[in-house]
Amino acid sequence: MPTPYRIHQLLPAKRSVKGITRPAACTLHGIIKFDCIESPHLVYNEFVALRLAQALRIPVADGVLTVAVDGYAYASLEVALPGLDLPDMRKSDYRKVARRYPDAAAAILAFDYWIGNADRSGNIKAALASEHTSLFRAFDHQLALLDVEGDYDASLRRLNGVDPIVRFHPFMGQVEAVHLKRWVTRISSLSHEIIESCCVFEKPFRTVQPSTQKALAFALRLRAKRLSRLIPPEAVSSLW
């Protein structure tokens, strides 16, 4: 589904613009995120999670790299719908969102188990007010991938192992088996070349060295093959 992002300001043209498209400069609303003590590889995690999601068509909010004083930062673009307030998904909405967006809910559950994201909680924007307006986008992957644990070595060990990592998920017990199976199959079929192209930049990315980037790609490929065994049977709703 197309996803609109909130315009902050339309900027006055510096010169006359010709052409039928009449392009205009603007700024968009976004949330800038930086590496921090709690998530020392935050920018890398967010950017890689976005690239992996885009490769699979997982419904996550778009974001871009930007440059801060000490290097790269990550800007998550603010999802918006014209004229509608779109708060983060509340606990009371978990079931309603899963029923309204069954395929997207299964996609996010499978994706979170794959990248080791135990912090999904309410980090989703989902339109529920009108049956004629559809929007579902997940965001915030700072505590996945290389920040599953406090350092990247421990994070890679857990991703390489058989630990599900995710203990709670808002869509646990809410997804349909056929949807979940399709997304697990899609993730497990993703080639190593594509995974590596999402994770590896052939040069240091902030503090993440190329050897660590390649180790993450290997761990994700291994975890993708194990994904069907990592997701517990109770993830599927008994109502389906």
Side-chain angles (χ1 to χ4, degrees):
M1 60 194 80
T3 304
Y5 295 92
R6 191 181 301 278
I7 293 175
H8 173 65
Q9 184 181 16
L10 287 173
L11 303 176
K14 294 182 178 179
R15 61 182 182 276
S16 177
V17 178
K18 298 180 180 180
I20 61 173
T21 59
R22 298 288 181 181
C26 73
T27 58
L28 297 177
H29 278 276
I31 298 88
I32 305 291
K33 306 178 79 172
F34 309 90
D35 288 353
C36 58
I37 294 175
E38 295 81 7
S39 182
H41 312 100
L42 183 153
V43 178
Y44 176 84
N45 291 338
E46 290 281 13
F47 191 55
V48 169
L50 173 68
R51 287 158 65 95
L52 292 168
Q54 289 174 335
L56 290 157
R57 307 307 297 161
I58 301 283
V60 305
D62 288 318
V64 294
L65 287 180
T66 186
V67 179
V69 174
D70 65 341
Y72 290 136
Y74 183 80
S76 181
L77 301 183
E78 185 179 347
V79 176
L81 284 174
L84 290 178
D85 181 35
L86 199 63
D88 295 351
M89 183 177 67
R90 297 172 292 235
K91 187 175 182 179
S92 59
D93 291 332
Y94 291 173
R95 182 179 293 273
K96 288 183 284 187
V97 170
R99 293 295 179 266
R100 175 73 186 276
Y101 304 98
D103 194 58
I108 290 301
L109 186 143
F111 185 65
D112 285 339
Y113 270 91
W114 182 40
I115 66 172
N117 181 28
D119 189 37
R120 175 57 60 203
S121 189
N123 296 327
I124 288 173
K125 295 284 188 182
L128 294 171
S130 169
E131 63 180 22
H132 304 294
T133 302
S134 294
L135 188 147
F136 179 109
R137 283 294 182 272
F139 59 92
D140 198 346
H141 305 97
Q142 68 184 56
L143 296 179
L145 300 173
L146 294 182
D147 286 329
V148 167
E149 288 286 349
D151 65 79
Y152 70 84
D153 280 330
S155 297
L156 288 171
R157 283 195 296 272
R158 291 191 71 185
L159 290 170
N160 273 296
V162 294
D163 185 349
I165 298 175
V166 178
R167 304 302 177 192
F168 165 80
H169 198 279
F171 299 136
M172 179 64 66
Q174 306 288 345
V175 300
E176 187 178 357
V178 65
H179 291 302
L180 184 59
K181 182 178 179 180
R182 180 165 61 248
W183 283 105
V184 168
T185 299
R186 183 178 293 189
I187 292 171
S188 64
S189 301
L190 197 63
S191 72
H192 182 71
E193 289 76 16
I194 292 177
I195 294 174
E196 192 165 272
S197 72
C198 293
C199 299
V200 178
F201 300 92
E202 302 296 348
K203 62 181 181 179
F205 187 112
R206 292 189 63 89
T207 61
V208 184
Q209 298 300 313
S211 58
T212 304
Q213 299 167 22
K214 291 180 180 179
L216 176 64
F218 179 85
L220 288 176
R221 184 59 181 154
L222 183 62
R223 192 169 177 84
K225 294 300 185 184
R226 295 172 172 166
L227 189 57
S228 62
R229 301 193 298 274
L230 295 175
I231 301 175
E234 56 267 26
V236 176
S237 172
S238 60
L239 298 178
W240 295 105

